[in-house]
Amino acid sequence: MYLYHLVRASLRSKKGSFISIIILTFVIALSFSTIISLNNNIARRSDEAMEQIQMGDLLVLTEGKAVSEERIEKARQMNEVTKVEENKTIMARIQAGDKVGGDTTCFTLYDPDRYNYNVYTDTLLSFEQKPSPLNKGEVYLPIAMFYSYSCDVGDTIALLNGNEKENFTIKGFFEEPYMGSQTIGLKLALMNGEDFNRIYEKCNASIKNSETISKGMILGVYKSKDCTLSNSEFKKQLNSQTGLVDYGIISISKAQCQSFTLMFNNILSGIMFAFLLLLSIVVLIVMGHSITNSIDMEYTNLGVLKALGVTKQSLRAVFIVEYLLAEVIGCILGIALSKIAIYYLNQIFVVASGLLSKAVIDWGSILLLVAILLLLSAGFIFIKTRKIAKISPMRAIQGGKEEIYFHSRLEAGVSGKLLNLRIAFRQITSNKKQYISGVLIISLLVFFLVSITALNTSMDSGLIERSFGGIFTDVNVSYEKVDKDKIEQMMKEVEARVNQIAPVKQSFCSMSNYFTLNGEEYHGSCISKMDAIKSLIKGRLPKYENEVMITQIVADDMNLSIGDTVAIGYKENVADYIISGFYQDTMDLGKCFVFSTEGRKRIDPTMVYDSQEITLQDKTKSEEVTKVLQEEYKDVLTIRDYNADNNNTGETLINTVHILNNSIYVVAVFFALVVVILLCGKAFYREQTDIGIYKAVGFTSRQLRLQFAFRFLFIAVIGSVVGILLNLGLNNILMGVLFKSLGVANYETVYTVASFLLPTVTICICFFLFSYLVAGKIKRVDTKSLITE
């Protein structure tokens, strides 16, 4: 019973510390519970939706009759294959309002008896119990298009077919687990049977250009239950026996679909997890600081309790119980509130992932995490309270003061010049241990703020190419409607016209397809100017026609090194290439390669560039350039303004990082406030007598408050320097781990002045301002404190 009374008395005397730990734990529990639950809910929904639809373990998209019935039949005869389903499709680019999609949409027949898709209600937060059948002139679109095309139910979309358009009304949006993610360019949409059959019969058997509606086929290949091959091995064996992959436009496995669906969710949760782990360490540091100060300040009381027969184990148990109680309360409040956060975040992620997951708390994972947190905290508190064992009742009578006191050589002197600053600095040097925890906390906060600021800055400044790879341009010009022998001359004409509107920084041609590399399918690109690639990691760019450059991801997957020879195939043609270097690119999650124009022509002799990429010196001019070109080359060229286009993975990544950056800064400022309140409170309690003396000799309350503020400004500066140094040494490793799922194998942090300045200034201002405000209680201290002492 006496333990209960001790805990209760301790809580009354340390309400500030108790409430601070509750608040810090609440923020961490809320964030962890929300992220873990959201992550697991979406992953489970992906499995459930795929099981419900069952389109196949591997999807192969082909154009027209590129794949013969003989090849399909060979696939059906394989021991590893249960069945192959053929689904006719219409491939087209669509336009919604003024926005023309840059990617292909595959329309298939809406047949709920065959593929039972879920259709969203108007709120986009639930499904229709009995979806209405599509009438003539109506379509269902995947939910991701709601955002990327800025369209809604009842809007009109057009299928582009040369100079003609097929107009349809959006009846609703549906959940598509295979290709419905915002991160997958290819999309699947549903069409009324009468419209589908009419268009399918009259459209082209092969793709003439992206502005032409074309026939296609989606082959759903089902693995047999006893097949032990991995997805990659299964695809490779299927292609070697049937050639389905070689003759398809693209093939994608169920596992790859899930990787794309969960990609941005994993990135977001990965960054937040790292930040929250650092904040968890901050909470432990705050607890350690609070415990140490409590033992010092209550030395006499603890000594008296020991003299009365209270054991050291009981006294340590008091500390463990009160701090764990604060954490438990914080966890309960955080987990309870996460239910609301999950519900509202679901509205954001339903568009990014294309899936509507349940807004439920993942109790199993959360309770396990809470148990680990409490066990670690209990162990940490047990270690920090070992000092109680050394408390002597005799010394307690003396107030716990040292028998012999020596001044440290590191203590700063005080003189008349800059008196407030000198006194503030002396307070730090004479009580160094008291402020070490503050320096550690600040260094951790600054470490992560520098990381997220550098990442955010690279997104805005165009430095993303170095960190993530890829080539980010401003305007794309498509020449698919132009005769092949006239394309080169027209490209020169267009570039000259663009230069008249805004100076061109760089212009080159590009073309991409899927190829087989040593029997496995990868995304391959060829560009007319290899020096446009800025993400070379090792080796050199391809110089000769028999050279190729691969990503580190491909090299790791296939155990390849620079100088090795690989066989690249395109349809019936295959040629050997030497690996000249490794580069970085997030296309297809890093599973891609690049070779020169001459290199591609070895396996595709008829290849002619039909796309031109233009980078402007002033990115803000892209809209003007696009508008002029569309007016002057209306019936000849297709122009795309990347800066105004939300329908791409790069834009989604940039928006995600911006949201993360703002969220992390808000949490960091909040943590800074709580930490300052706690540290200032302890310092104020210890120094009441000193404050009374300072007032007695003529210092004003404002001067003393400034001394407090300058003191915390000093430790903020020191902590910021430590955090920056830690970031310079560790950030590439941390970010490399977090972005591995995106295809980034070798992350390179691109620092700018803002990367260091913004976090440092933010933290320093917060600590200075918050400490000045908290020190307002100095006004209530008077010289009577001297008499008490």
Side-chain angles (χ1 to χ4, degrees), residues 110-123:
Y110 177 49
D111 186 359
D113 294 331
R114 188 175 184 185
Y115 298 120
N116 184 25
Y117 288 107
N118 290 313
V119 177
Y120 289 91
T121 60
D122 292 342
T123 64

Side-chain angles (χ1 to χ4, degrees), residues 304-487:
V304 170
L305 287 171
K306 290 186 76 173
L308 293 173
V310 180
T311 64
K312 61 182 180 181
Q313 290 84 1
S314 297
L315 293 176
R316 296 175 84 175
V318 170
F319 281 89
I320 293 174
V321 169
E322 66 179 89
Y323 282 101
L324 288 188
L325 179 61
E327 288 191 328
V328 168
I329 294 174
C331 287
I332 292 173
L333 294 174
I335 294 171
L337 198 62
S338 70
K339 175 77 173 180
I340 301 173
I342 294 168
Y343 175 80
Y344 284 105
L345 282 176
N346 245 5
Q347 300 178 40
I348 299 173
F349 281 95
V350 70
V351 175
S353 66
L355 302 171
L356 179 61
S357 60
K358 295 179 180 178
V360 296
I361 297 173
D362 191 333
W363 287 105
S365 301
I366 300 304
L367 292 178
L368 177 62
L369 189 66
V370 169
I372 293 172
L373 176 63
L374 293 178
L375 285 174
L376 288 175
S377 298
F380 178 78
I381 297 168
F382 185 79
I383 294 172
K384 293 296 292 186
T385 54
R386 65 186 183 279
K387 190 176 180 180
I388 292 177
K390 299 178 182 179
I391 292 177
S392 166
M394 292 300 296
R395 274 187 59 196
I397 299 173
Q398 302 172 347
K401 295 179 180 179
E402 298 286 348
E403 296 177 4
I404 302 175
Y405 177 74
F406 294 97
H407 281 282
S408 171
R409 295 178 182 272
L410 298 177
E411 288 186 19
V414 178
S415 62
K417 295 180 180 180
L418 301 174
L419 186 59
N420 285 330
L421 287 173
R422 288 179 176 273
I423 292 177
F425 188 62
R426 179 179 172 81
Q427 289 286 1
I428 295 175
T429 58
S430 60
N431 296 282
K432 294 178 290 296
K433 291 183 180 180
Q434 181 180 339
Y435 296 101
I436 289 175
S437 56
V439 171
L440 290 175
I441 291 169
I442 293 166
S443 64
L444 291 175
L445 289 176
V446 171
F447 171 86
F448 212 87
L449 289 180
V450 170
S451 297
I452 195 66
T453 304
L455 181 62
N456 193 58
T457 302
S458 69
M459 299 290 173
D460 289 331
S461 63
L463 298 173
I464 188 174
E465 294 178 9
R466 283 178 57 187
S467 297
F468 290 90
I471 305 173
F472 293 81
T473 58
D474 300 311
V475 178
N476 170 266
V477 184
S478 174
Y479 297 84
E480 294 174 328
K481 301 177 185 177
V482 181
D483 293 336
K484 291 184 177 182
D485 56 345
K486 297 179 181 179
I487 288 179

Side-chain angles (χ1 to χ4, degrees), residues 535-541 549 552 562 580-583 746:
S535 56
L536 179 66
I537 297 174
K538 188 177 180 182
R540 61 169 174 79
L541 300 172
M549 187 163 63
Q552 186 71 55
I562 294 175
S580 67
F582 297 154
Y583 76 115
N746 199 322

Side-chain angles (χ1 to χ4, degrees), residues 564-613:
D564 288 351
T565 300
V566 293
I568 298 178
Y570 182 67
K571 295 185 177 179
E572 69 276 1
N573 298 324
V574 181
D576 290 334
Y577 295 81
I578 298 172
I579 299 173
S580 67
F582 297 154
Y583 76 115
Q584 193 150 274
D585 195 345
T586 54
M587 176 65 69
D588 263 25
L589 304 183
K591 297 187 175 183
C592 51
F593 65 89
V594 62
F595 46 10
S596 63
T597 307
E598 295 75 17
R600 168 150 181 173
K601 285 187 174 181
R602 292 182 68 204
I603 53 176
D604 187 13
T606 62
M607 189 274 292
V608 175
Y609 284 117
D610 56 14
S611 179
Q612 184 179 19
E613 302 289 341

